[in-house]
Structure formats: structure tokens, C-alpha cells
């Protein structure tokens, strides 16, 4: 729970505040940009919510925050905010909210499908919060848990135990040691089923894999995200733990595929036409080569 005593001085006066435990994951700024801002290595409230909608978004941020760093002075019911997750992004693809500190607040997603379509897929791990687990259960549970890379696995074991799902991960990120049920190897793209394609993209980590759903949704982990500052797709050079040149090479592989959504673990979501997405990807690759 956030603490008033540890309230950051950068917050404006009023109901909502961020305390000093903030790890600067960006979740609140994405969910409620009218309320939260980055003041440099942490977030704070720069404008108090003024409408019911803004209050609701600020409360959703409070629930999504991995470190419980957001607090309020007034008493609010958080029921609606809790029940808003998993939150639909488009079609049958949902954002789980409830990010985990163990994954540094990485975003995870749920693809909701019928058993005939292969069942639900949880992409990376949210916090194992009972309220979220219950909601996922109501949506049909988890058939498959796809883990993009070793940093965003958080509560994978708890989800596997609860739902008996098959966890899928690349061998080069320690899948065997972590007890994954399905281990993928090599650099060739591999179908998970008829609608899901796993594309190994070494770079951020050696065993990083992105997941393409129906040639529309690309779940990118920490490989690729939208940069609001540069208004194009980007990658994070300072956290290319394995190899930036490899990540650049992996990025070029994605030109072979169509997608309209980039859904990252860290960084911003982007939705665009397939053509625009390809143009942004080309720009990103050129930029990566130039910084190589
Ligand atoms: S969601 Fe929480 S940890 Fe992340 S930036 Fe906001 S206050 Fe900080």
C-alpha cells in the first residue's frame, strides 16, 4: 500500500499521489496520461483527476502499478478498477493490468479463444493476484502461457499450477531450468497452432521470441515498442543484454510478416495499418543500424 509519509514531493497537492517506492515502469503514464507524468526516473501526479473517467483511469493505474506506489487521501471504491481487468484492447485480445514487480511492471496480455480455436493464451506473466486470476478463470482460464523472454516470467509457476497450462519458452533463456513444458530452439519461426506463430528474435536476450497472432497482433516483449517521442517504432539499446547487432538482425526478420498491432512488455502499444507498420519497422531498422 502506498504511504502518505513517503509521498514524492513532485506530486501536485490533492487526492492522488505517488510515493517513493515507484520503479518508473510507465504503466500509470500509459493508462492515465492526464494524471501521471515522468518527472525523471519516477512518476508523479501532475494534475489531479477532474472527471469520473479520469478518476477511474487513475484507479486503474493504482491497480496495475507493480509496486503499489499509487495512493489516495480520500476513500475510493476500487471494485470497478479491479473488474476492468483483463481489459479488452481489440477483438479478443486483452491487457491483464496487475503488473508484477518481478517483471519490472511488464505488460502481459490474454488472447481469449474457444477450446476449438486452441484455448486462451496468456502472453508473459502478470501478478498472481486472486482478483485477476478469478477474472481469467471466468474468461476460460489459460491453456497456453507464452513467455517472450526470461525477464517477464514473474508468476509463471503459479499460473501453471492454477490452470495446468502448457508454458512455452525458448531454450536459450533457460526454459529447461525453469521447468517449461514446451521448449523451442533455434531461430526458425515456428507455428504454435494455426493462428499463432513464434518468431525467435535474439538480441534483448539470447532466447527472446515474439508471438504473431492472426497476422494482426504482434506480442513483442522487450524487443520492439512504439516511441511517442520519435513517433515511430523503436528498440531499447541500453537493455540489449545479449547483443544489439543481433537484435538489429532479428528486427529485419520481422519485415517478412504483416501485423497491425505492436503489443510490448515495456514501452508503448501501437496500432496502425500493415503498410504503415512496415514503414515504421524499416525506419526502426535503419535507426538501429545507424546506432550500431
Ligand atoms: S505504475 Fe507504479 S511503479 Fe509504474 S511508474 Fe506508475 S507509480 Fe511508478
Amino acid at each position: 500500500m502506498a504511504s502518505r509519509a513517503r509521498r514524492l514531493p513532485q506530486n501536485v497537492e490533492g487526492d492522488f499521489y505517488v510515493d517513493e517506492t515507484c520503479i518508473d515502469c510507465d504503466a500509470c503514464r500509459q493508462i492515465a496520461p492526464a494524471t501521471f507524468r515522468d518527472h525523471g526516473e519516477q512518476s508523479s501526479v501532475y494534475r489531479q483527476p477532474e472527471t469520473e473517467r479520469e478518476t477511474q483511469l487513475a484507479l486503474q493505474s493504482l491497480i496495475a502499478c507493480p509496486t503499489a506506489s499509487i495512493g489516495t487521501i480520500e476513500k475510493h471504491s476500487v471494485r470497478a478498477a479491479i473488474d476492468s481487468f483483463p481489459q479488452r484492447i481489440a477483438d479478443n485480445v486483452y491487457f491483464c493490468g496487475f503488473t508484477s514487480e518481478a517483471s519490472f511492471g511488464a505488460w502481459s496480455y490474454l488472447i481469449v479463444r474457444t477450446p476449438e480455436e486452441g484455448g486462451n493464451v496468456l502472453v508473459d506473466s502478470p501478478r498472481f493476484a486472486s482478483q485477476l486470476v478469478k477474472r481469467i478463470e471466468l474468461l476460460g482460464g489459460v491453456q497456453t502461457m507464452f513467455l517472450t523472454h526470461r525477464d517477464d516470467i514473474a508468476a509463471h509457476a503459479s499460473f501453471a499450477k492454477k490452470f495446468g497450462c502448457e508454458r512455452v519458452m525458448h531454450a536459450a533463456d533457460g526454459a529447461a531450468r525453469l521447468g517449461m513444458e514446451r521448449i523451442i530452439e533455434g531461430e526458425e519461426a515456428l507455428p504454435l497452432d494455426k493462428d499463432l506463430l513464434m518468431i525467435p528474435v535474439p538480441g534483448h536476450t539470447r532466447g527472446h521470441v515474439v508471438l504473431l497472432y492472426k497476422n494482426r497482433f504482434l506480442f513483442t516483449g522487450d524487443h520492439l515498442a512504439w516511441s511517442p517521442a520519435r513517433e515511430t517504432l523503436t528498440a531499447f539499446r541500453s537493455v540489449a543484454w545479449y547483443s544489439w547487432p543481433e537484435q538489429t538482425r532479428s528486427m529485419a526478420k520481422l519485415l517478412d510478416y504483416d501485423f497491425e498491432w505492436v503489443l510490448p512488455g515495456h514501452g508503448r502499444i501501437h496500432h496502425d495499418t500493415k503498410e504503415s507498420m512496415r514503414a515504421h519497422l524499416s525506419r526502426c531498422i535503419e535507426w538501429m543500424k545507424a546506432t550500431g
Side-chain angles (χ1 to χ4, degrees):
M1 239 175 94
S3 153
R4 268 174 90 171
R6 300 172 79 185
R7 187 182 181 279
L8 288 168
Q10 289 86 353
N11 292 289
V12 292
E13 283 306 315
D15 187 14
F16 281 81
Y17 64 89
V18 177
D19 79 11
E20 60 190 29
T21 60
C22 168
I23 58 169
D24 198 25
C25 76
D26 191 42
C28 59
R29 303 189 298 258
Q30 285 202 64
I31 296 168
T35 300
F36 300 96
R37 60 150 186 186
D38 180 0
H39 63 254
E41 304 198 350
Q42 275 182 320
S43 286
S44 51
V45 173
Y46 72 95
R47 188 177 150 273
Q48 292 293 338
E50 284 173 3
T51 63
E52 213 172 289
R53 175 72 185 147
E54 286 179 358
T55 303
Q56 196 50 34
L57 291 173
L59 290 171
Q60 285 176 6
S61 303
L62 183 152
I63 297 300
C65 175
T67 44
S69 306
I70 300 171
T72 60
I73 291 165
E74 289 164 30
K75 212 167 162 42
H76 294 267
S77 166
V78 289
R79 174 48 54 196
I82 287 171
D83 289 349
S84 71
F85 296 118
Q87 190 167 86
R88 204 170 77 85
I89 296 171
D91 298 353
N92 54 336
V93 173
Y94 292 73
F95 163 48
C96 291
F98 291 87
T99 69
S100 169
E101 189 174 7
S103 295
F104 200 78
W107 286 33
S108 58
Y109 304 91
L110 184 72
I111 307 173
V112 176
R113 309 188 300 176
T114 63
E116 295 71 38
E117 290 169 320
N120 294 353
V121 182
L122 185 57
V123 181
D124 288 330
S125 177
R127 212 180 318 149
F128 194 74
S130 58
Q131 304 101 320
L132 175 67
V133 172
K134 227 173 274 169
R135 307 268 312 159
I136 291 177
E137 204 164 16
L138 287 172
L139 288 167
V142 181
Q143 190 74 27
T144 305
M145 187 169 192
F146 176 82
L147 298 156
T148 57
H149 69 296
R150 66 177 187 221
D151 300 337
D152 294 352
I153 59 176
H156 70 96
S158 302
F159 280 100
K161 191 168 171 205
K162 167 72 185 169
F163 292 111
C165 55
E166 180 181 61
R167 289 165 295 172
V168 186
M169 193 178 170
H170 198 283
D173 264 20
R177 181 178 45 82
L178 291 162
M180 298 294 142
E181 286 74 24
R182 182 163 172 190
I183 299 174
I184 54 173
E185 294 186 65
E187 287 199 23
E188 289 302 308
L190 199 69
L192 188 55
D193 58 37
K194 73 174 180 50
D195 291 324
L196 288 162
L197 185 70
M198 304 181 286
I199 309 167
V201 286
H204 172 71
T205 61
R206 196 177 199 129
H208 199 303
V209 184
V210 297
L211 184 68
L212 180 60
Y213 175 54
K214 286 194 163 176
N215 293 320
R216 285 192 66 210
F217 299 93
L218 188 66
F219 299 92
T220 55
D222 291 352
H223 180 67
L224 174 70
W226 179 254
S227 163
R230 292 181 29 237
E231 297 191 336
T232 192
L233 290 171
T234 194
F236 307 109
R237 185 172 185 175
S238 61
V239 291
W241 311 125
Y242 172 51
S243 160
W244 185 247
E246 279 297 308
Q247 191 165 343
T248 307
R249 194 175 62 81
S250 296
M251 201 65 83
K253 278 166 51 174
L254 297 180
L255 286 170
D256 293 343
Y257 303 96
D258 282 332
F259 50 92
E260 296 168 10
W261 287 87
V262 164
L263 300 167
H266 289 113
R268 299 296 170 102
I269 289 174
H270 188 60
H271 178 221
D272 220 323
T273 62
K274 290 175 178 173
E275 294 71 26
S276 294
M277 212 53 116
R278 192 179 299 275
H280 282 302
L281 186 61
S282 297
R283 210 167 297 150
C284 175
I285 294 162
E286 287 316 307
W287 170 77
M288 290 177 81
K289 283 180 180 164
T291 59

